[in-house]
Amino acid sequence: MPEPAKTDGPLDRAFAIVGHIASQTKAVSVAEIAQALALPLPTAHRLIGNLEERGLLQKALGTKRYVVGNQLVTLSAKVIGAAFRTARRHAVLCAVAGEIGEQCEIGVVRDNLVTYVDSVRVSQPQGLQFNPGEAAPLHCTSTGKIYMSRLPEKAREKLCSALALTKYTENTIVDRDRLMQILAETRQRGWAKTNEEYVKGVVGCAVPIVSPDRDLIACLGVSVPVARVSFTELDRFIAPLQKAATLLSETILQADDDQEGDRGE
């Protein structure tokens, strides 16, 4: 049975359409959207056209089926970034960075790149430093591996085939079969590691931050010079990172009393 959409007004219907498409693992047609949301077909056509004009939806390449648009992806990353940059969540990031003694960062995926929305540095910069607003590739970062690992297998294969697997260091994984194997292992384990794959001399790991429905929101990670922490020793960071990620997951949908930028710093 179709899920009836809220029909109080055009905005309710538009949000229902966006939410439905965002929840799908493949592109969907106008007829499928109308049926799923119990909308009249002409109404679905009109609203989808309006959303497409604004870049919130777009047709999958070479089809008449719809996926989320670039403007919506960009907006969602900004919203997630703003949500994590509140005093309460930044305090969680500061606490875990202080506990493990290394820089910690929160990253999201936007336009097939990892974008960092918040970070805390507890020591003098050495090696790779991910700062808010900076972007990094998917295939050689821990956050990127987590994102790809959580995709359905066919979508994962398609993305691996589409990505330019640039070789940044001698350890960068550029063989697609090997990358798919690493992603399968990451999916089973639930967290990811990188071994000098983006910048020589820097290793890192990350854990997922999920919504109450277990959807991936962002990732919490650490980057550290291999001269200080070996690739194998990264495993000791996983438990505190997971604990902090759980706190972030629990508070991400809660309202904050603090104002943006008021972190007591």
Side-chain angles (χ1 to χ4, degrees), residues 25 148 151-161 180:
T25 58
M148 290 192 289
L151 294 173
E153 187 172 1
K154 288 185 178 179
R156 205 183 315 154
E157 290 176 351
K158 186 175 181 180
L159 180 55
C160 283
S161 297
M180 285 293 294

Side-chain angles (χ1 to χ4, degrees), residues 1 25 31 55 58 60 65 69 76 87 127 133 139 151 172 188-189 192-194 201 214 237 253 262 265:
M1 292 292 292
T25 58
Q58 64 189 36
R65 303 172 74 84
S76 65
H139 67 290
L151 294 173
T172 305
Q188 183 175 20
R189 188 173 54 218
K193 295 168 67 176
T194 50
R214 306 304 296 171
F237 295 148
L253 298 182
D262 181 14
E265 297 178 343

Side-chain angles (χ1 to χ4, degrees), residues 7 17 20 100 118 121 248:
T7 56
I17 289 170
H20 177 71
I100 66 178
D118 200 2
R121 184 180 301 158
L248 291 168

Side-chain angles (χ1 to χ4, degrees), residues 59-89:
K59 291 186 179 74
L61 188 62
T63 76
K64 294 183 178 181
R65 303 172 74 84
Y66 285 89
V67 295
V68 294
N70 290 333
Q71 289 294 330
L72 182 60
V73 174
T74 299
L75 176 61
S76 65
K78 290 180 178 178
V79 170
I80 291 172
F84 280 112
R85 288 192 299 271
T86 62
R88 182 189 301 177
R89 278 151 223 133

